[in-house]
Amino acid sequence: MCCFRRMKKAVIFLCSILLGFNAFAQVNLEGQLGGSNFLGFSLNTEVDIALSKAKGIYLSPSLGLGFLAPTFEESTAILRTGLHLKYKKWGIGSEVAGFTANPFSNPPIRSSFIDLLVYPNVNYTFGFKSNYYLKVSTGAYFAFSRYLPRPGGQFNIDSPPLRFEGDVIPGVGLSFGYRFR
């Protein structure tokens, strides 16, 4: 139930951003494979806020919801967000994805997958004559997991709530989207 509340809040937040920025920004809707989703898929919305239209510089926050590939034992939901600085067709920034038990699975169980993935990246957007585009990104994956309590049920108060898993691996992402103009 807790995951459903978080997803509900994320959707409400996403809608408020779309309504608030729609007057002076361009909204994009895209499907993404890989990237901060690792081995999953998400539907994202991105808002291009013009910092300088003449120079082609935009600030682009994004939000999305998705699912991890069904090759894993549990059904895992993805809550992702990102922020990129775009210059013409190039972009640089970072995406963060949280992985949690799928609230639609019966019964929802805690996923054994990592809890948080940070994906700093560089991307390039291929535009088509219509409003469709293809975006390719490359970066690195930084994985984090929550600490589990000690056998007595007590947490170590000196330890951070998330632990770095230790390996940084290269990653790629592919997004196909539509620009609402």
Side-chain angles (χ1 to χ4, degrees):
M1 189 65 167
C2 178
C3 297
F4 181 71
R5 286 185 189 147
R6 279 190 239 156
M7 289 179 76
K8 184 178 174 184
K9 287 181 182 179
V11 169
I12 290 171
F13 181 70
L14 175 66
C15 290
S16 65
I17 285 178
L18 288 176
L19 292 174
F21 288 125
N22 198 23
F24 62 93
Q26 177 177 304
V27 177
N28 305 328
L29 183 64
E30 64 185 27
Q32 181 180 24
L33 288 170
S36 62
N37 304 322
F38 187 58
L39 296 175
F41 174 79
S42 68
L43 289 175
N44 310 320
T45 186
E46 183 177 70
V47 180
D48 291 338
I49 303 168
L51 299 178
S52 173
K53 281 188 179 182
K55 294 181 181 178
I57 302 173
Y58 295 88
L59 188 63
S60 300
S62 63
L63 286 173
L65 300 171
F67 295 99
L68 197 59
T71 57
F72 294 93
E73 294 176 10
E74 306 92 11
S75 178
T76 303
I78 301 171
L79 306 170
R80 77 164 285 296
T81 185
L83 182 64
H84 287 87
L85 180 65
K86 292 182 178 179
Y87 176 68
K88 298 184 181 178
K89 294 184 178 192
W90 289 95
I92 186 168
S94 186
E95 299 171 8
V96 177
F99 298 87
T100 186
N102 183 352
F104 303 111
S105 66
N106 195 7
I109 55 176
R110 181 166 165 19
S111 172
S112 62
F113 196 68
I114 60 168
D115 293 301
L116 185 75
L117 188 70
V118 179
Y119 177 63
N121 65 80
V122 176
N123 62 58
Y124 186 81
T125 304
F126 298 93
F128 301 113
K129 290 185 180 182
S130 60
N131 291 345
Y132 292 98
Y133 63 90
L134 180 68
K135 184 169 31 175
V136 178
S137 68
T138 185
Y141 292 126
F142 295 85
F144 297 88
S145 293
R146 287 192 183 110
Y147 273 115
L148 297 177
R150 287 192 238 161
Q154 298 291 323
F155 283 98
N156 183 355
I157 59 172
D158 296 331
S159 64
L162 290 172
R163 128 181 123 231
F164 177 58
E165 289 296 323
D167 288 337
V168 178
I169 57 174
V172 295
L174 185 64
S175 301
F176 182 73
Y178 182 81
R179 288 187 178 97
F180 294 93
R181 295 183 190 227

